[in-house]
Amino acid sequence: GESVGLHLPTLSVQEGDNSIINCAYSNSASDYFIWYKQESGKGPQFIIDIRSNMDKRQGQRVTVLLNKTVKHLSLQIAATQPGDSAVYFCAESVLRGATNKLIFGTGTLLAVQP
Amino acid sequence: DADVTQTPRNRITKTGKRIMLECSQTKGHDRMYWYRQDPGLGLRLIYYSFDVKDINKGEISDGYSVSRQAQAKFSLSLESAIPNQTALYFCATSDPARANQPQHFGDGTRLSIL
């Protein structure tokens, strides 16, 4: 899951297993959510998004689940591969005045063991 | 994301120096953003611009300034750098054509202030 502090939570999985990365978001009024992947030395890369009128969305090997009741978001990666090793973080879109702003989580490090 | 290019990729400088970080994009997006990333913290918004004549402060704008020279270019300046501005800086863009769009990031500038 996500947390503040200097050390990222780490999820270690075996190659070929499924991974589930969790995120607790802060604002019950948030209406749009994004998952990003950040590899070492690179910028955040968009993976998948979901709007609040949905509770599940699937992409290629990835699924995002949204539970608005408990303000929880998860990213499921099927058949995890070594190239999936990275930091994953969620972002929520919050309306501030007339503009939507993204609020980013701190991230989870996914370590894929061969 | 090669569509968003940041220069330099790395910079080491001394306290009190003026620094400019550059961002250019080929995505044709009107909206551009500057973030900083620190260990254990989520991305924090410094400044953002919704078009060439629009500049807005983010949550941590003190000590920074920006210039939107053209739709494709958005630069960040540190007028008098201090050590606690040592961080990873990211530029991002988004397309306002539809509500709730993901932001697309460059690969960052690693800035160290001695």
mmCIF file of all heavy atoms in Angstrom, chain A residues 37-60:
data_model
loop_
_atom_site.group_PDB
_atom_site.id
_atom_site.type_symbol
_atom_site.label_atom_id
_atom_site.label_comp_id
_atom_site.label_asym_id
_atom_site.label_seq_id
_atom_site.Cartn_x
_atom_site.Cartn_y
_atom_site.Cartn_z
ATOM 1 N N LYS A 37 3.558 4.360 -13.657
ATOM 2 C CA LYS A 37 4.731 3.507 -13.426
ATOM 3 C C LYS A 37 5.970 4.377 -13.591
ATOM 4 O O LYS A 37 6.072 5.133 -14.571
ATOM 5 C CB LYS A 37 4.752 2.385 -14.461
ATOM 6 C CG LYS A 37 6.005 1.523 -14.466
ATOM 7 C CD LYS A 37 5.972 0.541 -15.640
ATOM 8 C CE LYS A 37 7.210 -0.356 -15.670
ATOM 9 N NZ LYS A 37 7.194 -1.267 -16.841
ATOM 10 N N GLN A 38 6.889 4.291 -12.646
ATOM 11 C CA GLN A 38 8.123 5.074 -12.763
ATOM 12 C C GLN A 38 9.329 4.158 -12.618
ATOM 13 O O GLN A 38 9.583 3.607 -11.550
ATOM 14 C CB GLN A 38 8.175 6.184 -11.709
ATOM 15 C CG GLN A 38 9.348 7.127 -11.908
ATOM 16 C CD GLN A 38 9.325 8.310 -10.956
ATOM 17 O OE1 GLN A 38 8.598 8.329 -9.967
ATOM 18 N NE2 GLN A 38 10.115 9.323 -11.252
ATOM 19 N N GLU A 39 10.063 4.012 -13.692
ATOM 20 C CA GLU A 39 11.293 3.235 -13.677
ATOM 21 C C GLU A 39 12.441 4.144 -13.273
ATOM 22 O O GLU A 39 12.373 5.370 -13.413
ATOM 23 C CB GLU A 39 11.543 2.632 -15.058
ATOM 24 C CG GLU A 39 10.456 1.658 -15.476
ATOM 25 C CD GLU A 39 10.629 1.158 -16.892
ATOM 26 O OE1 GLU A 39 10.125 1.830 -17.807
ATOM 27 O OE2 GLU A 39 11.263 0.106 -17.092
ATOM 28 N N SER A 40 13.490 3.534 -12.801
ATOM 29 C CA SER A 40 14.654 4.278 -12.334
ATOM 30 C C SER A 40 15.204 5.176 -13.446
ATOM 31 O O SER A 40 15.451 4.718 -14.561
ATOM 32 C CB SER A 40 15.733 3.297 -11.872
ATOM 33 O OG SER A 40 16.859 3.992 -11.402
ATOM 34 N N GLY A 41 15.368 6.452 -13.138
ATOM 35 C CA GLY A 41 15.922 7.389 -14.106
ATOM 36 C C GLY A 41 14.943 7.875 -15.148
ATOM 37 O O GLY A 41 15.323 8.581 -16.094
ATOM 38 N N LYS A 42 13.679 7.521 -14.977
ATOM 39 C CA LYS A 42 12.671 7.923 -15.959
ATOM 40 C C LYS A 42 11.551 8.724 -15.278
ATOM 41 O O LYS A 42 11.417 8.719 -14.057
ATOM 42 C CB LYS A 42 12.049 6.668 -16.588
ATOM 43 C CG LYS A 42 13.019 5.806 -17.375
ATOM 44 C CD LYS A 42 13.230 6.347 -18.744
ATOM 45 C CE LYS A 42 14.043 5.410 -19.624
ATOM 46 N NZ LYS A 42 13.248 4.232 -20.022
ATOM 47 N N GLY A 43 10.759 9.361 -16.101
ATOM 48 C CA GLY A 43 9.589 10.048 -15.583
ATOM 49 C C GLY A 43 8.418 9.107 -15.417
ATOM 50 O O GLY A 43 8.424 7.986 -15.940
ATOM 51 N N PRO A 44 7.394 9.536 -14.677
ATOM 52 C CA PRO A 44 6.193 8.704 -14.524
ATOM 53 C C PRO A 44 5.549 8.435 -15.879
ATOM 54 O O PRO A 44 5.417 9.335 -16.704
ATOM 55 C CB PRO A 44 5.288 9.566 -13.643
ATOM 56 C CG PRO A 44 6.217 10.483 -12.911
ATOM 57 C CD PRO A 44 7.327 10.767 -13.862
ATOM 58 N N GLN A 45 5.150 7.191 -16.061
ATOM 59 C CA GLN A 45 4.536 6.758 -17.318
ATOM 60 C C GLN A 45 3.104 6.345 -17.043
ATOM 61 O O GLN A 45 2.844 5.523 -16.165
ATOM 62 C CB GLN A 45 5.339 5.587 -17.888
ATOM 63 C CG GLN A 45 4.768 4.984 -19.159
ATOM 64 C CD GLN A 45 5.522 3.732 -19.563
ATOM 65 O OE1 GLN A 45 6.466 3.315 -18.912
ATOM 66 N NE2 GLN A 45 5.095 3.110 -20.647
ATOM 67 N N PHE A 46 2.161 6.913 -17.789
ATOM 68 C CA PHE A 46 0.751 6.579 -17.630
ATOM 69 C C PHE A 46 0.506 5.103 -17.930
ATOM 70 O O PHE A 46 0.987 4.573 -18.926
ATOM 71 C CB PHE A 46 -0.069 7.452 -18.586
ATOM 72 C CG PHE A 46 -1.506 7.051 -18.720
ATOM 73 C CD1 PHE A 46 -2.417 7.374 -17.728
ATOM 74 C CD2 PHE A 46 -1.943 6.355 -19.831
ATOM 75 C CE1 PHE A 46 -3.741 7.003 -17.858
ATOM 76 C CE2 PHE A 46 -3.265 5.976 -19.971
ATOM 77 C CZ PHE A 46 -4.168 6.301 -18.982
ATOM 78 N N ILE A 47 -0.242 4.440 -17.031
ATOM 79 C CA ILE A 47 -0.587 3.036 -17.250
ATOM 80 C C ILE A 47 -2.058 2.905 -17.598
ATOM 81 O O ILE A 47 -2.432 2.360 -18.632
ATOM 82 C CB ILE A 47 -0.314 2.190 -15.998
ATOM 83 C CG1 ILE A 47 1.135 2.268 -15.568
ATOM 84 C CG2 ILE A 47 -0.696 0.731 -16.254
ATOM 85 C CD1 ILE A 47 1.388 1.584 -14.232
ATOM 86 N N ILE A 48 -2.916 3.381 -16.697
ATOM 87 C CA ILE A 48 -4.347 3.205 -16.868
ATOM 88 C C ILE A 48 -5.065 4.221 -15.989
ATOM 89 O O ILE A 48 -4.521 4.669 -14.977
ATOM 90 C CB ILE A 48 -4.775 1.758 -16.502
ATOM 91 C CG1 ILE A 48 -6.208 1.476 -16.952
ATOM 92 C CG2 ILE A 48 -4.580 1.473 -15.021
ATOM 93 C CD1 ILE A 48 -6.581 -0.007 -16.886
ATOM 94 N N ASP A 49 -6.271 4.595 -16.385
ATOM 95 C CA ASP A 49 -7.062 5.510 -15.579
ATOM 96 C C ASP A 49 -8.475 4.966 -15.410
ATOM 97 O O ASP A 49 -8.890 4.014 -16.082
ATOM 98 C CB ASP A 49 -7.071 6.922 -16.186
ATOM 99 C CG ASP A 49 -7.599 6.983 -17.619
ATOM 100 O OD1 ASP A 49 -8.048 5.940 -18.149
ATOM 101 O OD2 ASP A 49 -7.539 8.075 -18.220
ATOM 102 N N ILE A 50 -9.203 5.588 -14.491
ATOM 103 C CA ILE A 50 -10.589 5.176 -14.254
ATOM 104 C C ILE A 50 -11.370 6.367 -13.723
ATOM 105 O O ILE A 50 -10.849 7.151 -12.927
ATOM 106 C CB ILE A 50 -10.662 3.973 -13.275
ATOM 107 C CG1 ILE A 50 -12.092 3.422 -13.193
ATOM 108 C CG2 ILE A 50 -10.133 4.349 -11.894
ATOM 109 C CD1 ILE A 50 -12.173 2.072 -12.487
ATOM 110 N N ARG A 51 -12.595 6.501 -14.167
ATOM 111 C CA ARG A 51 -13.456 7.556 -13.683
ATOM 112 C C ARG A 51 -14.343 7.030 -12.577
ATOM 113 O O ARG A 51 -14.578 5.831 -12.475
ATOM 114 C CB ARG A 51 -14.267 8.145 -14.846
ATOM 115 C CG ARG A 51 -13.391 8.982 -15.765
ATOM 116 C CD ARG A 51 -14.009 9.373 -17.078
ATOM 117 N NE ARG A 51 -13.169 10.307 -17.800
ATOM 118 C CZ ARG A 51 -12.024 9.985 -18.412
ATOM 119 N NH1 ARG A 51 -11.587 8.756 -18.395
ATOM 120 N NH2 ARG A 51 -11.317 10.916 -19.047
ATOM 121 N N SER A 52 -14.868 7.926 -11.770
ATOM 122 C CA SER A 52 -15.570 7.496 -10.562
ATOM 123 C C SER A 52 -16.913 6.837 -10.844
ATOM 124 O O SER A 52 -17.507 6.252 -9.942
ATOM 125 C CB SER A 52 -15.770 8.691 -9.614
ATOM 126 O OG SER A 52 -16.517 9.697 -10.250
ATOM 127 N N ASN A 53 -17.384 6.911 -12.082
ATOM 128 C CA ASN A 53 -18.639 6.232 -12.405
ATOM 129 C C ASN A 53 -18.417 4.765 -12.787
ATOM 130 O O ASN A 53 -19.343 4.084 -13.205
ATOM 131 C CB ASN A 53 -19.382 6.959 -13.528
ATOM 132 C CG ASN A 53 -18.575 7.030 -14.815
ATOM 133 O OD1 ASN A 53 -17.404 6.670 -14.851
ATOM 134 N ND2 ASN A 53 -19.210 7.486 -15.878
ATOM 135 N N MET A 54 -17.173 4.303 -12.638
ATOM 136 C CA MET A 54 -16.824 2.911 -12.919
ATOM 137 C C MET A 54 -16.189 2.312 -11.674
ATOM 138 O O MET A 54 -15.638 3.034 -10.837
ATOM 139 C CB MET A 54 -15.824 2.824 -14.075
ATOM 140 C CG MET A 54 -16.295 3.477 -15.358
ATOM 141 S SD MET A 54 -14.990 3.542 -16.594
ATOM 142 C CE MET A 54 -14.809 1.805 -16.983
ATOM 143 N N ASP A 55 -16.246 0.984 -11.546
ATOM 144 C CA ASP A 55 -15.532 0.351 -10.441
ATOM 145 C C ASP A 55 -14.442 -0.600 -10.929
ATOM 146 O O ASP A 55 -13.670 -1.129 -10.126
ATOM 147 C CB ASP A 55 -16.489 -0.372 -9.497
ATOM 148 C CG ASP A 55 -17.404 -1.351 -10.200
ATOM 149 O OD1 ASP A 55 -17.087 -1.741 -11.328
ATOM 150 O OD2 ASP A 55 -18.444 -1.704 -9.622
ATOM 151 N N LYS A 56 -14.354 -0.772 -12.240
ATOM 152 C CA LYS A 56 -13.324 -1.655 -12.775
ATOM 153 C C LYS A 56 -13.023 -1.248 -14.213
ATOM 154 O O LYS A 56 -13.928 -0.877 -14.968
ATOM 155 C CB LYS A 56 -13.819 -3.100 -12.757
ATOM 156 C CG LYS A 56 -12.831 -4.125 -13.294
ATOM 157 C CD LYS A 56 -13.409 -5.528 -13.195
ATOM 158 C CE LYS A 56 -12.463 -6.583 -13.718
ATOM 159 N NZ LYS A 56 -13.037 -7.949 -13.596
ATOM 160 N N ARG A 57 -11.742 -1.321 -14.550
ATOM 161 C CA ARG A 57 -11.345 -1.052 -15.933
ATOM 162 C C ARG A 57 -10.144 -1.917 -16.254
ATOM 163 O O ARG A 57 -9.227 -2.041 -15.438
ATOM 164 C CB ARG A 57 -11.009 0.418 -16.121
ATOM 165 C CG ARG A 57 -10.830 0.788 -17.573
ATOM 166 C CD ARG A 57 -10.771 2.272 -17.800
ATOM 167 N NE ARG A 57 -10.756 2.560 -19.239
ATOM 168 C CZ ARG A 57 -10.020 3.481 -19.815
ATOM 169 N NH1 ARG A 57 -9.234 4.250 -19.086
ATOM 170 N NH2 ARG A 57 -10.072 3.667 -21.124
ATOM 171 N N GLN A 58 -10.145 -2.500 -17.433
ATOM 172 C CA GLN A 58 -9.065 -3.409 -17.802
ATOM 173 C C GLN A 58 -8.272 -2.862 -18.961
ATOM 174 O O GLN A 58 -8.799 -2.254 -19.885
ATOM 175 C CB GLN A 58 -9.642 -4.778 -18.167
ATOM 176 C CG GLN A 58 -10.155 -5.533 -16.957
ATOM 177 C CD GLN A 58 -10.632 -6.929 -17.311
ATOM 178 O OE1 GLN A 58 -11.645 -7.073 -17.977
ATOM 179 N NE2 GLN A 58 -9.901 -7.931 -16.859
ATOM 180 N N GLY A 59 -6.949 -3.101 -18.891
ATOM 181 C CA GLY A 59 -6.074 -2.789 -20.002
ATOM 182 C C GLY A 59 -5.323 -4.052 -20.379
ATOM 183 O O GLY A 59 -5.738 -5.165 -20.031
ATOM 184 N N GLN A 60 -4.219 -3.863 -21.044
ATOM 185 C CA GLN A 60 -3.417 -5.026 -21.404
ATOM 186 C C GLN A 60 -2.622 -5.493 -20.184
ATOM 187 O O GLN A 60 -1.746 -4.796 -19.706
ATOM 188 C CB GLN A 60 -2.458 -4.660 -22.533
ATOM 189 C CG GLN A 60 -1.674 -5.842 -23.079
ATOM 190 C CD GLN A 60 -0.790 -5.448 -24.248
ATOM 191 O OE1 GLN A 60 -0.559 -4.263 -24.477
ATOM 192 N NE2 GLN A 60 -0.317 -6.414 -24.990
#
